[in-house]
Amino acid sequence: MELLAEKLRPKLLKDVLGQHHLIGENKIFNNLVKNKKIFNMIFYGKSGIGKTTIALTLMNELECKYRLLNATINSKKDFEVVFEEAKLYDNLVLIVDEIHRMNKDKQDLLLSFIESGRLILIGLTSSNPFHAINPAIRSRCQMIELKEITEADILEGINKVKTIYEDFNITEDTKKHIARISGGDLRYTYNLIEFCYNSFGPTFRIEDISTINNRANFYHDKNEDGYYDVISAFQKSIRGSDVDASLHYLARLIEAGDLDILYRRMLVIAYEDIGLANPSLPPRVLSAIEAAERIGVPELSKPLTYAVIDMALSPKSNTTEIAYMAASNDLHKNNVGRIPEHIKTNSKNYKYPHNFKNNYVKQQYLPDNIKSSKYYTPGNNKYEQSMYEFNKKIKTE
């Protein structure tokens, strides 16, 4: 049985809802069609905003030979069949849904065909490709971000339903309600309408919708990167010391049941955004998470709320993040050189700091090539300043 969402899937770019930054006169996708060109691309953005639809409309308008696979559902054998087919046809396009979930075997196979030019890839993902996709594949593709569909776009999509259900006749208020609770997910909109139409008839009301769906469709990224949408807003609200916004996004994540990613992100925030400004906080956050895991639903909100308020109101410092990135950049950009001989394993020339006053003795630890590098600068907070002053004192006595 073909679902309503499939029946209403556009065949041409001009019929695609939203994505006005990519579709229209002199926009990226229209120019690709005009120039009859297709390239390796990865479309990323939340679910239900048209990634698959745009990929298929491009295939239709460019008259490309293509295959559509899903990294979760299709086996390695399915991919191998496409790769064998790519040897027979020029410019075969492989569209891979949920590409971030490809295992290493599939990725290795795919990479060799992309590199040889025998296959053109269009990857689709609701995760952040800069964190979730193999860098070797990512470097060979153009990253194309799809934006969230607006309520106005959703309303336009709802009006198209009448082309399939001729007797469809809901009120404007009901349409607006559906658009509001759909959370920018057009597929969710169509699935909800299809269910209500067949359950309550062509003139179903807001009250009918409420009997089966009394909360909004909140998007939440289930990939462990956690930098999308709600989880991103959650971290940025805590980082920005907005306790009310932090609690709002906490509630959304708890309602969505996305607890694993919430726990991970809380710990990341504690170390990345608060860090040494409040060094006793990360263990408190971990304790709150452990308490939540023991308590379970629905009372787990109590320790988590405690921790989130604590984090949002805490002084902030990202000096550890800055320090690590500086050290990492030095490692990648410079010839750092060899480890000094006197601190290598079993060196006889090593000076043991505990044998000296204040447990400190001056000696070189960084390699010669970067011996003057400085990565850490203390934050303007009581704890880091006191440690810095202590460290400076023992080196001058």
Side-chain angles (χ1 to χ4, degrees), residues 19 43-53 97-98 100-101 124-128 146-149 154 182-189 191 217-223 228-229:
Q19 311 312 325
F43 299 166
Y44 67 101
K46 60 171 285 187
S47 298
I49 60 173
K51 297 185 294 293
T52 304
T53 294
D97 198 6
E98 298 194 72
H100 61 281
R101 297 192 183 278
L124 314 175
T125 177
S126 57
S127 295
N128 188 334
L146 274 65
K147 307 287 187 177
E148 186 169 328
I149 297 176
I154 295 286
S182 292
D185 185 334
L186 187 60
R187 182 172 54 232
Y188 175 91
T189 301
N191 289 343
N217 176 38
F218 297 131
Y219 172 74
H220 52 282
D221 179 20
K222 291 182 180 296
N223 185 270
Y228 246 74
D229 292 347

Side-chain angles (χ1 to χ4, degrees), residues 15-47:
D15 297 322
V16 173
L17 296 172
Q19 311 312 325
H20 306 295
H21 64 301
L22 299 172
I23 299 172
E25 188 177 356
N26 290 324
K27 297 296 176 64
I28 293 173
F29 292 142
N30 294 76
N31 286 339
L32 288 177
V33 171
K34 178 182 176 181
N35 295 319
K36 300 187 183 304
K37 294 289 186 181
I38 191 70
F39 298 93
N40 295 315
M41 296 181 285
I42 292 175
F43 299 166
Y44 67 101
K46 60 171 285 187
S47 298

Side-chain angles (χ1 to χ4, degrees), residues 163-182:
T163 62
I164 305 298
Y165 299 149
E166 294 181 2
D167 57 348
F168 179 65
N169 190 27
I170 61 175
T171 66
E172 291 301 315
D173 284 344
T174 304
K175 292 178 183 178
K176 289 177 182 177
H177 177 73
I178 293 172
R180 188 164 54 250
I181 68 171
S182 292

Side-chain angles (χ1 to χ4, degrees), residues 247 250 266 284-285 288 300-312:
L247 291 171
L250 171 67
M266 286 175 66
R284 294 202 301 272
V285 172
L300 58 75
S301 63
K302 293 175 173 59
L304 297 182
T305 299
Y306 174 96
V308 167
I309 292 174
D310 196 3
M311 288 194 289

